[in-house]
Amino acid sequence: MNNVPLCVVTLVSLCNCLQFPSSFKKCDKRRNDFNECLSDVVYDSLKVLDKPLPGFPSLRCIEFPPDAMMEIGNRTYGLWQKYTKFRVTGLSNPQSIKTRLDFGPVTSTLTIEASYSELTWESELEAQGTVVLLPLNVITPGELIMYNPTLSFTIKLEEYEKGATYFRVIDSEFDMKSADRLKIEFKQLFPNRRLNDEFNSALSEKGLQTFELFKHLQVAFAPHFGSVFNNFLEKVPVVELFDE
C-alpha cells in the first residue's frame, strides 16, 4: 500500500470517477461555523474509513512507501540507525478533530489537529555500532505506542484553472505535537531476552525525552501526506467541496 492518510472527505470511486457519498456534508464558506462544520466532516470521514471503501483503503492501518525513512548516528563513534518500513495503526479512530481552512488571495492553508487515545507506529530498525561498549549489528522490528497523542497536518494550497477551479498542494507539514507517554519496544535488539526486555523498559521510561531528541526526523512523513492530498484535490473541483 503506497497511500497515507487523507483527512478531508470520504470518497467512493466508481467508473474511474470520484463521487461523494449521499451522506457527505457540504460546508458553507460564508457561515461563521465553517471550520466547525469542516471538523465534523473530517471526523466522520475518518470513522467511516476504519474499513475500506471501493477505490479507497482503510485508514485503520497505513503503510508508508519505501522512501519514508530515518537515518541517524554513525558506526565509528556510536550507533548507526536506519528506520524503514513504517506503518501506523489507529488513525481511523480519533477522539477529536479540529480543522481550520484559511483562504487567501494566493495561497490557502488547511490545518488539521487530530487527538487520539492511542496510536501504534511500527518500523524496521537496522543498527550497527555500539551500545555503551556492547557491539551491535542487527535488523529488528520496532514498535512505538503513543498514549493520548495529538497530530497536526498543515497543507498549503493554491488554486489553478483546468476547465474549473481546483486546489493543488504546494507544501505540507506534519507534527506529532504531544503525548502523555510512550512505550518503545525493539523485538530482537539483543539475543538475550532478559536484556532485550530490560533495555526496552528503561528506554520507555525515558520515552518522552528520547522522542524530543529525534522529533525533527518526523519531516520524512510530510511529503507523503501532501502527495495524497494532492492526488485527491486534482480530481475534485473546489465548487464540489464547499458552498460559496
Side-chain angles (χ1 to χ4, degrees), residues 24-31 33-41 241-244:
F24 175 71
K25 183 179 180 181
K26 199 172 180 182
C27 299
D28 191 334
K29 292 167 56 177
R30 298 164 297 186
R31 293 178 58 92
D33 64 351
F34 169 75
N35 287 314
E36 288 79 1
C37 174
L38 194 59
S39 298
D40 291 340
V41 169
L241 296 173
F242 317 112
D243 285 326
E244 298 288 343

Side-chain angles (χ1 to χ4, degrees), residues 73 146 149 220:
M146 307 181 75

Side-chain angles (χ1 to χ4, degrees), residues 207-223:
L208 291 177
Q209 295 95 316
T210 302
F211 178 75
E212 287 299 321
L213 288 175
F214 301 105
K215 185 180 177 182
H216 63 283
L217 298 172
Q218 67 188 358
V219 297
F221 299 115

Side-chain angles (χ1 to χ4, degrees), residues 101-122:
L101 181 52
D102 294 311
F103 296 93
V106 179
T107 63
S108 299
T109 303
L110 172 67
T111 303
I112 300 172
E113 289 195 359
S115 296
Y116 295 87
S117 60
E118 183 177 310
L119 285 177
T120 300
W121 293 78
E122 297 172 80

Side-chain angles (χ1 to χ4, degrees), residues 81-229:
Q81 303 169 65
K82 182 179 179 180
Y83 295 86
T84 57
K85 300 181 180 179
F86 286 98
R87 181 169 63 177
V88 59
T89 301
L91 287 171
S92 61
N93 190 32
Q95 288 185 309
S96 64
I97 294 287
K98 184 177 180 181
T99 303
R100 182 178 181 87
L101 181 52
D102 294 311
F103 296 93
V106 179
T107 63
S108 299
T109 303
L110 172 67
T111 303
I112 300 172
E113 289 195 359
S115 296
Y116 295 87
S117 60
E118 183 177 310
L119 285 177
T120 300
W121 293 78
E122 297 172 80
S123 64
E124 182 177 271
L125 166 66
E126 181 181 359
Q128 298 175 7
T130 58
V131 177
V132 188
L133 296 177
L134 181 65
L136 193 65
N137 187 343
V138 67
I139 297 177
T140 176
E143 184 177 88
L144 168 67
I145 302 177
M146 307 181 75
Y147 298 96
N148 298 315
T150 297
L151 308 186
S152 176
F153 306 87
T154 303
I155 309 295
K156 295 287 186 180
L157 307 168
E158 70 176 6
E159 294 184 357
Y160 69 101
E161 297 296 323
K162 189 179 64 175
T165 302
Y166 290 79
F167 275 133
R168 64 178 158 218
V169 176
I170 58 173
D171 192 23
S172 59
E173 298 177 7
F174 169 67
D175 186 15
M176 290 185 275
K177 298 183 66 174
S178 64
D180 286 350
R181 64 186 179 94
L182 304 177
K183 180 181 178 182
I184 303 171
E185 182 174 0
F186 294 105
K187 306 296 183 180
Q188 301 165 4
L189 193 60
F190 304 105
N192 184 302
R193 185 73 257 173
R194 180 178 177 182
L195 175 60
N196 200 84
D197 291 345
E198 290 183 352
F199 180 86
N200 285 327
S201 178
L203 191 59
S204 294
E205 288 181 6
K206 301 292 185 180
L208 291 177
Q209 295 95 316
T210 302
F211 178 75
E212 287 299 321
L213 288 175
F214 301 105
K215 185 180 177 182
H216 63 283
L217 298 172
Q218 67 188 358
V219 297
F221 299 115
H224 307 291
F225 288 108
S227 177
V228 172
F229 274 100

Side-chain angles (χ1 to χ4, degrees), residues 61-86:
C61 182
I62 299 298
E63 294 183 7
F64 288 79
D67 59 338
M69 57 86 69
M70 300 178 181
E71 188 172 356
I72 54 177
N74 66 81
R75 299 172 177 85
T76 304
Y77 300 107
L79 183 66
W80 172 78
Q81 303 169 65
K82 182 179 179 180
Y83 295 86
T84 57
K85 300 181 180 179
F86 286 98

